[in-house]
Amino acid sequence: MAVIALASPKGGCGKSTTAITLAGAYAEQGYTVRIIDADPRQRVARWAEVGTPGDSISVVSADATSIVATIRSAELDAQIVIVDVEGSANMVVPLAISRANFVIIPANPSAADVEDAIATVQIVHDTQTRQHEGSVPHGVLWTRVPTFQSREFVALASQLAEAGVPVIGQLAERTAYKSLFSYCTTLDQLPPDEVPGTDKARAEGIVLADAVTQAILANQEKAA
Ligand SMILES: Nc1ncnc2c1ncn2[C@@H]1O[C@H](COP(=O)(O)OP(=O)(O)OP(=O)(O)O)[C@@H](O)[C@H]1O
Ligand SMILES: [Mg+2]
């Protein structure tokens, strides 16, 4: 049904966490999900190998030479394809963007992340899409958002709005997201009595998946 690419040249902004969060949310909704781990460090591939991603989620690896073919075959095998990339400027990013139906650009609420998010939006605009018209639908995802009122966050959000950058949603700073890599499972499988914020994180994941689905459907209707 859809290819969703995580994109940012910024390391540690939350791409892999978002990939796993989204995969879990889509799997909960009954979709089959393929995550393509195109980061040479292979953290998501290890997450799946060591842990319990669930029957609906599979993970495969790819690099710049194999990414396009890997996306193509993933689209035949699964309903949702999520591409996770390395946090650096490399060839995989535009290749993944070019095959995507939606690009998520994660950014922490920091001036550096906002700068990198705006630069990534430019890469999206410069990349030819699979429909060959307009740029691929995209949005910044705020990650590690403080759960308390933060003036800095409000200021950064208005900076993005002034730059005309769309925002697709937000994930708060929660232990549950960190625990994805220690328990090596999806949010719905974390033990809520051991990991605080599990239910809230899970709900944020569902809201994000719904927002991405809606954006993809709206774009398909527009194109039809
Ligand atoms: N919403 C969140 N709440 C708490 N911790 C988070 C959240 N999102 C990410 N983290 C933590 O931040 C760190 C970086 O996240 P992650 O590995 O997802 O980023 P990344 O963009 O994939 O990094 P890289 O570019 O190195 O691959 C991890 O330790 C992760 O647990
Ligand atoms: Mg990563």
Side-chain angles (χ1 to χ4, degrees), residues 128-149:
Q128 189 150 48
T129 69
R130 58 192 300 165
Q131 287 97 9
H132 302 293
E133 53 182 62
S135 49
V136 57
H138 58 278
V140 165
L141 173 70
W142 290 112
T143 55
R144 309 194 72 162
V145 174
T147 46
F148 53 88
Q149 278 281 345

Side-chain angles (χ1 to χ4, degrees), residues 62-76:
D63 59 18
T65 56
S66 61
I67 187 77
V68 172
T70 308
I71 292 174
R72 207 170 284 141
S73 74
E75 283 185 276
L76 301 174

Side-chain angles (χ1 to χ4, degrees), residues 2 8 11 18 29 34 46 50 58 62 66 68 73 79 90-91 116 123-124 140 152 159-160 182 185 205 208 222:
S8 173
T18 305
Q29 294 176 345
R34 168 76 47 89
R46 262 202 319 279
V50 177
S58 55
S66 61
V68 172
S73 74
Q79 293 162 305
N90 65 79
M91 266 314 288
D116 285 329
I123 297 173
V124 174
V140 165
E152 195 198 4
Q159 193 184 333
L160 266 195
S182 35
T185 191
L208 174 62
K222 206 171 77 186

Side-chain angles (χ1 to χ4, degrees), residues 15-17 39 41 43-44 84-87:
K15 295 178 293 294
S16 301
T17 301
D39 183 338
R41 285 174 310 159
R43 281 186 75 204
V44 178
D84 184 29
V85 304
E86 185 183 0

